[in-house]
Amino acid sequence: MRLVDTHVHINFDSFDVDRDEIAAAWREAGIAHLVHSCVEPAEFPKIQSIAKRYPEVSMAVGLHPLDMDKWTETIAMDIAQLAASEPKVVAIGEMGLDFFKADDRELQKRAFTEQLKVARDLDLPVIIHCRDAAAEMANVLIDFFENHGSVNGVMHCWTGNPEETQQFLDLGFFVSFSGIVTFKSASQVKASAQMVPSDRILVETDCPFLSPVPKRKEKRNQPAFVRHVAECVAELRGVSLETLAMQTTRNAQRLFRLPSELVSEASG
């Protein structure tokens, strides 16, 4: 049984002291591939060095909505150039809207739209961060699709209710669940995890954040813990862990165009 952790941040300083040990742990846990997200282009060189050190790590590049202080008129071009320069880049992101404490909504929407254009031009999927912004996010995407054409991607670390979930499924997106789905209080997330079609569901850690049950006491999440997310989602959906692993691995391979051997490994 093999799993793909579709969203990690192992470039963060908290992993600098033991990154090789963290890699050994994810390999022992059966994590066959990881997609390393990016919150701002300045991270790219470090993420690139990690992807070169660990062959099972793919990359993304983008600007997070909480990093609008990094926004410049040329940053979309910078993101496009970085993505085109590195074969291990499989997505643009993470990007999106975060209105939890935002006073820069219009700038977020502009940055989001410009990155959607990059993804469209490069034929890459997007990794979308959406917090307290589901309705506006859907509106931006619908407007973009009508004016520029569709893009594919994933709603990462999803916390929306089933109605919001269906809206993004209808737009063609994959939905990825993190350790939040294991939390006792996350009833609407659990309901969403039960309704996503088997060909559109993914799992992730979003490490070093959001350690899942039963690892909540460990403040630093890590890729090996994606197995606990998968176990919870499998139980919610009434399928075996092996079935859920095979489904999510196939979906990750399809969305991010990962090595085809991942699917045969997942089935083995």
Side-chain angles (χ1 to χ4, degrees), residues 12-27:
F12 282 19
D13 292 349
S14 60
F15 290 111
D16 285 350
V17 295
D18 61 351
R19 198 168 282 111
D20 285 345
E21 289 81 358
I22 291 296
W26 81 55
R27 289 167 177 167

Side-chain angles (χ1 to χ4, degrees), residues 128-172:
I128 293 182
H129 172 106
C130 180
R131 187 179 187 189
D132 289 0
E136 195 66 26
M137 171 72 69
N139 289 337
V140 172
L141 288 168
I142 291 168
D143 181 69
F144 185 88
F145 286 11
E146 289 176 349
N147 290 285
H148 302 284
S150 64
V151 295
N152 202 356
V154 56
M155 308 303 295
H156 113 86
C157 193
W158 185 239
T159 57
N161 61 43
E163 182 179 2
E164 293 167 336
T165 303
Q166 189 60 55
Q167 194 167 23
F168 293 106
L169 289 171
D170 291 343
L171 288 169

